[in-house]
Amino acid sequence: MTERSTSDWHAKAAQLNIGAKMIIDGQSVDAASGRTFASHSPIDGRHLADVASGSQEDVDIAVAVARRAFEDGRWSARPPAERKLVLRRLADLIRAHRDELALLETLDMGKPISDSTSIDVRAVANCFDWYGEAIDKIYDEIAPTARDAVAMVTKEPLGVVAAVVPWNFPMLMASWKVAPALATGNSVVLKPAEQSSLSAIRLAQLALEAGVPAGVFNVVTGDGPEVGRALGLHMDVDGLFFTGSTQVGKYFMEYSAQSNLKRLGLELGGKSPNIILSSYRDTKHAATTSAHSAFFNQGEMCTCPSRLIVDRAVHDEVVETLIEVSKSYAPGDPLDPATSMGAMVDARHTGRVMEFVEHAKTDGADVVTGGTMARQDTGGSYIAPTIFDNATNDMRIAQEEIFGPLLTVIPVESVEEAVKVANDSCYGLASAVWTDDLTTAHQVSKGIRAGLVYVNCYDCDDMTTPFGGFKESGIGRDKSLHAMDKYVELKTTWINIAGRD
Ligand code: NAP
Ligand code: MG
């Protein structure tokens, strides 16, 4: 594909046709109330669209539509091999609309265009391909009963599935849920985050074009406490799959308990420890990779390695390297293909992140680089990559999820102390250890309570491995074949073949 320049992207952005209505029953519709909310780009504050602002009434309509679609079998009863072809067609359409989808993502939430094209859109297409490919290769079971019975254990779709997702990887977080849910035959109602509704709307339109029947994949846009809550409390939603903050994840447990005990999947926050030991032979490489992962996506990553736990023996070289790498993350125009740090999602979130710079100072950490906002003349929201050194794990910058480009360095004296500090967190999403000692690698990996442990790398990823957390980082896993279990019920059919005398 031809590489585009900054001015190409700006020209394309100016011409972009942005859909901002909900998708219900295959139609683009306004909110029942007629209400909208304004979507502004964090790149420069430009007005992007007035997005339909849904309410209980829209949720009721969408859920009823999804239920009807599920019951009449227009999708749920289609042979897996046919559903596969449709999902693979959707993957092709996503790739064919790469630039448009990448632009929507970048304009809406501020990430660099080079990441939107090469990471987000590519991963979203791959996700639909992968689950599409899987569904006609998975068999049900016959249980090992006595000879007088045949007991079949079959998988059936849950029914109406709702997905509520965040803004940091808007399309990808939606796809990790929508793809396996559709693959297994469910009908879906998706609620994107208010800050990033545009790509979800376009994705649902492309799904229709690919042949997902009307009513099977619906999008209701709007506010979390209104639309998200209505889905969480809905008596006719069978499963709710959420990615977002731990606080809101807890609300969804309450909604489920207060309504119909709908099944929940919760992918929540993190405060991931990244341990660099002196037994790793290339300190500079470890520090460089760690800095890239900490500042990737403006630090707006649930797996952000935001606590760098470093062996005192290599501390100085690590911090020196971090500062050096941070220079390549000076915030730039997200539509410039050379930019590696884009805009923060919005001004409110930027304000929250900046408060942690003050917390760091009050609690006694050293701000060794950054700590300031950037590009303020643009009208957008930007923060310079920031490093706090000589922190301790009881500080707020070490305990709370910041979700910004703020990296906390905590020096330790031993491997044992490193693991203890790593586990001293309410979260348990991702983690890493850098060591060339095989025994240490295994011991640390077993010692850390987290869903992901990287050894001598960070953020290595494909669709084959489960993704999710221990402790307050959530319940259940996205990605891999394991994720499909969330979207199906197991049914036992026991057939008596004893015969009658
Ligand atoms: P958030 O505030 O929890 O919002 C996530 C979604 O929930 C949004 O669609 C939001 O809608 C909705 N929501 C908010 N309040 C709600 C309520 N009272 N009832 C029902 N729904 C509600 O999270 P965020 O700020 O968008 O995203 C950042 C968080 O996501 C971080 O904590 C991050 O760690 C987590 N995350 C986790 C993973 C993972 O896989 N573990 C991946 C990515 C992100 P509105 O925004 O429209 O109000
Ligand atoms: Mg939010």
Side-chain angles (χ1 to χ4, degrees):
M1 220 167 291
T2 48
E3 282 321 308
R4 301 188 185 285
S5 66
T6 310
S7 53
D8 291 342
W9 284 115
H10 275 282
K12 266 187 160 294
Q15 288 158 8
L16 198 61
N17 184 12
I18 297 177
K21 296 187 185 215
M22 302 192 271
I23 306 289
I24 299 179
D25 212 4
Q27 305 295 319
S28 293
V29 294
D30 293 315
S33 67
R35 278 188 301 146
T36 58
F37 63 88
S39 166
H40 293 278
S41 175
I43 289 180
D44 51 12
R46 78 179 72 174
H47 177 261
L48 292 172
D50 291 315
V51 181
S53 184
S55 63
Q56 177 79 49
E57 196 179 346
D58 304 288
V59 167
D60 287 343
I61 295 168
V63 171
V65 159
R67 174 63 58 193
R68 205 159 50 240
F70 180 72
E71 305 249 301
D72 71 17
R74 70 185 82 163
W75 179 251
S76 54
R78 291 269 286 280
E82 284 183 24
R83 293 205 299 264
K84 168 179 81 172
L85 292 181
V86 174
L87 294 181
R88 296 213 52 201
R89 210 153 44 228
L90 173 55
D92 287 340
L93 281 173
I94 291 164
R95 280 185 281 263
H97 289 80
R98 182 192 83 155
D99 289 357
E100 179 194 359
L101 291 166
L103 260 181
L104 287 175
E105 217 70 316
T106 289
L107 290 170
D108 222 4
M109 58 68 69
K111 71 171 67 194
I113 192 72
S114 50
D115 289 352
S116 304
T117 47
S118 68
I119 297 171
D120 295 65
V121 176
R122 189 186 49 77
V124 167
N126 185 43
C127 180
F128 281 98
D129 258 343
W130 202 87
Y131 283 107
E133 274 298 348
I135 44 181
D136 64 349
K137 297 167 191 70
I138 297 173
Y139 292 70
D140 288 326
E141 297 167 0
I142 304 283
T145 57
R147 288 176 64 92
D148 62 357
V150 174
M152 304 189 302
V153 183
T154 51
K155 293 183 183 125
E156 295 186 3
L158 278 185
V160 175
V161 159
V164 177
V165 296
W167 44 258
N168 61 336
F169 289 84
M171 253 193 314
L172 187 59
M173 294 302 100
S175 304
W176 282 4
K177 302 186 191 313
V178 173
L182 289 179
T184 44
N186 296 281
S187 295
V188 175
V189 181
L190 168 66
K191 190 208 101 63
E194 257 181 294
Q195 297 95 326
S196 60
S197 309
L198 306 178
S199 58
I201 293 168
R202 193 66 188 113
L203 189 65
Q205 289 172 336
L206 292 177
L208 284 165
E209 200 179 321
V212 175
V216 171
F217 178 11
N218 308 280
V219 176
V220 179
T221 46
D223 186 30
E226 178 117 21
V227 174
R229 182 170 177 275
L231 286 167
L233 285 168
H234 208 288
M235 292 301 287
D236 207 27
V237 168
D238 299 296
L240 194 142
F241 300 91
F242 171 74
T243 298
S245 61
T246 293
Q247 184 56 56
V248 176
K250 290 179 182 182
Y251 295 153
F252 276 105
M253 288 211 110
E254 288 179 20
Y255 302 152
S256 173
Q258 285 165 20
S259 54
N260 59 347
L261 284 180
K262 60 180 62 61
R263 186 182 296 175
L264 293 177
L266 303 175
E267 298 288 344
L268 310 177
K271 190 74 193 172
S272 299
N274 176 23
I275 302 172
I276 300 183
L277 297 174
S278 54
S279 54
Y280 187 68
R281 88 182 81 88
D282 191 345
T283 304
K284 203 172 165 62
H285 173 69
T288 302
T289 307
S290 300
H292 284 306
S293 290
F295 299 134
F296 172 59
N297 212 51
Q298 298 72 243
E300 295 165 332
M301 289 274 289
C302 52
T303 55
C304 177
S306 53
R307 286 189 296 150
L308 204 160
I309 300 168
V310 59
D311 203 329
R312 179 86 62 188
V314 290
H315 167 270
D316 292 356
E317 189 183 351
V318 166
V319 172
E320 231 168 74
T321 309
L322 297 174
I323 294 172
E324 196 50 42
V325 177
S326 75
K327 291 179 188 153
S328 62
Y329 282 86
D333 177 358
L335 291 176
D336 178 347
T339 291
S340 48
M341 171 96 75
M344 304 298 293
V345 70
D346 61 20
R348 215 178 86 212
H349 181 60
T350 304
R352 257 198 318 255
V353 170
M354 287 303 294
E355 284 174 17
F356 282 93
V357 177
E358 293 318 307
H359 294 332
K361 290 178 185 161
T362 318
D363 290 351
D366 303 327
V367 183
V368 292
T369 192
T372 54
M373 291 174 60
R375 291 172 58 82
Q376 279 168 294
D377 55 326
T378 60
S381 304
Y382 299 84
I383 297 180
T386 299
I387 298 169
F388 306 128
D389 194 11
N390 296 317
T392 52
N393 204 53
D394 55 350
M395 293 180 181
R396 272 167 289 186
I397 51 169
Q399 288 292 325
E400 294 176 30
E401 182 176 48
I402 300 175
F403 229 58
L406 276 50
L407 172 60
T408 297
V409 179
I410 305 169
V412 292
E413 310 295 336
S414 66
V415 178
E416 294 70 31
E417 187 188 355
V419 173
K420 195 159 167 257
V421 168
N423 284 332
D424 175 22
S425 171
C426 66
Y427 298 111
L429 186 53
S431 63
V433 59
W434 299 80
T435 178
D436 284 319
D437 184 284
L438 190 62
T439 306
T440 305
H442 280 287
Q443 283 175 344
V444 173
S445 165
K446 281 191 196 302
I448 292 182
R449 305 278 300 155
L452 294 152
V453 184
Y454 299 110
V455 179
N456 300 343
C457 60
Y458 206 91
D459 279 337
C460 297
D461 183 44
D462 66 23
M463 282 309 297
T464 59
T465 52
F467 183 100
F470 286 23
K471 301 198 268 184
E472 290 187 40
S473 288
I475 297 172
R477 297 291 182 266
D478 279 337
K479 290 174 55 225
S480 83
L481 292 181
H482 293 286
M484 296 176 92
D485 294 341
K486 291 195 296 194
Y487 304 99
V488 294
E489 290 282 13
L490 287 182
K491 177 180 278 180
T492 298
T493 306
W494 187 287
I495 305 170
N496 175 10
I497 55 165
R500 262 166 276 169
D501 294 329

